Amino acid sequence: MTAAPPRATPPRGTDVLIIGGGMIGCALADQLTLAGASVRVCERGGVASGTTAHGEGNVLVSDKGPGPELALAQLSRRLWPTVLARIAERLPRDAAAVEWEPKGGIVVATTDAGATALTVFARSQRSAGVQCEHLDAAQLAAAEPALTRDVCAAVYYPEDAQVQPAGAATALLGAAIAGGAIVETRCEVTAALCRDGRLIGVATTRGPRHADIVINAAGPWSGVVSELLGAPIAIKPRRGDVLITAPMPPTVFHKVYDADYVGAVGSSDAALQSSAVVESTRGGPLLLGSSRRQCGFDDRLRPDSLAAIARKALRLYPILADVAIMRAYGGFRPYVDDHLPVIGPDPRLPGLWHATGHEGAGIGLSVGTAQLISAALAGHPGEIDLAAFAVDRPAVITTPEQVSR
């Protein structure tokens, strides 16, 4: 097992206020409390009630090409077992509720063109240290007996894992609370509190809250929050839907998805993008995804999205034709045009930091993001250079006037 890097410690007694009680905010609260900061989380709704509650719990390296996001995913994947082991020592029930499953992922291509693209993509990932191996027809059938045989190529990623997202978030937050963190729900941020050009806290619906550092971890609502604070960033909501089947006997044993999923994730098209993603849960239902669409905060379930998900899932698993759909849900991912998170200090407003824009990868990237923020607050170099995730890049702050503000 790779040794955990030395813990970065913010200056003792630093007051940190985290806006957002989703997966990223909870991971920050855990790491920063562990590092010695005084932490307060302000969440406008309930803990893990937004994007986190509407995700699939993916901890993936299989869907990212070489670059800073893959490096962050690899860091996070190494950290997850260590973080969960630490929480289990003090809060075993909370750790168990995370439902950590290092089940591995299988990416399949159902066309010759897709097979060629998948082979090239896997080769590039392997050069960046990702573990992956091609499966022949017999190996694929043994790994996923119910999967269609109409597959041109398949790649197995043993490092892919899954958690129960709300359970993971609450476990991290529980560890933070055990370490002294304060959590306030139904506490919505309404304005910035500034002194001499520095952010010193926020006004909320429950009164003023002061802090040395304020971290915007509000997910898809980070753009709205940043506007309120006077330092806008271009985070937009990107809608996604999931179908949930009735409980089934063991049928799907890995996270399985079509190779076109990677293209859908990387697309900047505002119109509906869909691809086949099928995975099991410990309770028995299967989760069927996925879709992406830019439609603001329109929360309606749309038949075209659900139909596309079902149609593509059936192509991978024909056995699903006779399986009942129990329910469907949708949520919003924090989207950035260049498909990279926003992590670090805001140069326009001292005291403000951002940890957002992870789109659909926030569950997997959360613990790595928290470690990078903790290291940066302590003035230490992190394992990954934050420059790629900087706030003042063109996709996040779009005009020269904003950059120089």
Side-chain angles (χ1 to χ4, degrees):
M1 179 181 293
T2 303
R7 183 172 37 151
T9 306
R12 180 65 59 175
T14 299
D15 290 320
V16 179
L17 187 149
I18 299 166
I19 302 171
M23 192 69 200
I24 300 296
C26 291
L28 287 166
D30 170 57
Q31 178 63 35
L32 294 175
T33 301
L34 182 69
S38 298
V39 173
R40 180 187 298 268
V41 177
C42 292
E43 162 57 47
R44 71 170 190 167
V47 171
S49 60
T51 300
T52 301
H54 297 89
E56 297 175 64
N58 293 321
V59 181
L60 303 182
V61 296
S62 59
D63 61 339
K64 300 168 183 67
E69 188 182 27
L70 175 58
L72 180 56
Q74 291 171 305
L75 169 63
S76 295
R77 179 59 179 84
R78 294 198 303 272
L79 290 174
W80 264 110
T82 303
V83 169
L84 293 177
R86 168 173 54 80
I87 293 174
E89 291 178 0
R90 191 170 187 178
L91 303 169
R93 289 186 179 179
D94 287 20
V98 174
E99 298 184 7
W100 171 255
E101 287 193 81
K103 63 173 68 173
I106 295 177
V107 183
V108 298
T110 54
T111 65
D112 289 337
T116 299
L118 176 59
T119 299
V120 173
F121 187 68
R123 185 184 304 126
S124 71
Q125 291 175 300
R126 198 175 294 112
S127 69
V130 174
Q131 297 178 40
C132 58
E133 59 188 71
H134 285 268
L135 302 179
D136 61 26
Q139 291 170 322
L140 182 60
E144 291 291 335
L147 183 69
T148 178
R149 297 294 177 260
D150 186 19
V151 171
C152 299
V155 179
Y156 170 55
Y157 291 85
E159 295 170 294
D160 280 0
Q162 184 182 13
V163 297
Q164 205 292 329
T170 53
L172 289 164
L173 195 59
I177 293 169
I182 297 170
V183 179
E184 295 183 294
T185 56
R186 309 297 186 268
C187 182
E188 185 170 358
V189 171
T190 58
L193 299 177
C194 296
R195 180 187 300 147
D196 299 327
R198 181 180 179 84
L199 186 65
I200 61 168
V202 294
T204 78
T205 50
R206 298 180 63 172
R209 299 291 185 264
H210 293 86
D212 302 312
I213 299 293
V214 175
I215 305 177
N216 176 14
W221 297 272
S222 296
V224 177
V225 169
S226 67
E227 289 274 1
L228 288 171
L229 299 181
I233 57 175
I235 302 291
K236 297 177 284 188
R238 199 180 193 194
R239 170 87 181 178
D241 299 315
V242 176
L243 295 174
I244 304 175
T245 72
M248 298 178 62
T251 305
V252 180
F253 301 96
H254 303 80
K255 178 184 176 69
V256 180
Y257 63 89
D258 194 294
D260 62 5
Y261 173 80
V262 175
V265 172
S267 171
S268 298
D269 195 329
L272 175 64
Q273 306 286 311
S274 65
S275 54
V277 180
V278 182
E279 59 191 311
S280 62
T281 65
R282 286 192 183 178
L286 300 181
L287 304 180
L288 310 181
S290 72
S291 68
R292 282 169 163 77
R293 175 183 314 197
Q294 292 183 43
C295 56
F297 285 104
D298 184 345
D299 202 26
R300 293 173 295 173
L301 284 169
R302 301 194 184 189
D304 62 337
S305 173
L306 304 183
I309 290 171
R311 184 171 58 252
K312 294 192 174 185
L314 279 171
R315 186 179 182 192
L316 287 191
Y317 284 89
I319 193 174
L320 296 178
D322 297 322
V323 175
I325 295 297
M326 186 166 61
R327 65 187 180 95
Y329 64 82
F332 303 103
R333 307 175 180 97
Y335 170 82
V336 185
D337 282 339
D338 65 1
H339 305 286
L340 287 174
V342 183
I343 305 171
D346 194 311
R348 302 164 297 175
L349 184 58
L352 175 62
W353 290 55
H354 300 279
T356 184
H358 299 78
E359 217 217 308
I363 303 296
L365 301 181
S366 58
V367 292
T369 296
Q371 187 180 94
L372 293 183
I373 289 276
S374 182
L377 282 172
H380 300 324
E383 187 169 329
I384 301 169
D385 188 351
L386 282 180
F389 309 117
V391 176
D392 56 350
R393 65 185 200 261
V396 181
I397 301 176
T398 55
T399 69
E401 290 77 13
Q402 287 178 306
V403 173
S404 61
R405 180 174 172 175

